[in-house]
Amino acid sequence: MAANRFEQVDEPQPDAITLSLSAGDGETHGRIACPAELAGGHLVNDFLSDPMPPVEAFRAAVRLANEIRAPIVVADPQGLWQDDWGVLYREAD
């Protein structure tokens, strides 16, 4: 079975759900950003989640992406991605 693939980006994208991973003060967390326009009427305003544990953020992003049929991109400047989530790649310039 092929692993899921997720594009790594530097900032939230207007055409995808963005999972942002970060670490600070000895903790790691993830946040989900979803543009309202992408949600096809499910959201009135752009959505930005509260920080949550990275695994929970990943799972919530996948659930949301499946529900609204949208792609997920990942902002991970500190290299916190977990390989068991799938393949993280960067689009070639």
Side-chain angles (χ1 to χ4, degrees):
M1 179 182 220
N4 289 322
R5 293 173 38 91
F6 300 91
E7 182 180 357
Q8 185 172 3
V9 297
D10 294 323
E11 58 191 34
Q13 301 296 299
D15 60 349
I17 294 166
T18 303
L19 170 62
S20 299
L21 302 172
S22 60
D25 297 328
E27 295 184 19
T28 60
H29 61 269
R31 293 183 82 160
I32 302 164
C34 181
E37 189 173 303
L38 181 67
H42 290 275
L43 298 172
V44 175
N45 297 312
D46 292 347
F47 171 76
L48 179 62
S49 74
D50 291 331
M52 62 186 89
V55 171
E56 286 182 29
F58 173 75
R59 290 176 181 159
V62 169
R63 278 192 304 272
L64 179 59
N66 287 337
E67 183 176 319
I68 66 171
R69 302 213 182 275
I72 298 172
V73 296
V74 180
D76 183 21
Q78 297 170 299
L80 303 173
W81 182 257
Q82 296 179 22
D83 290 336
D84 57 330
W85 295 346
V87 175
L88 187 61
Y89 71 94
R90 189 169 285 276
E91 187 70 36
D93 294 324

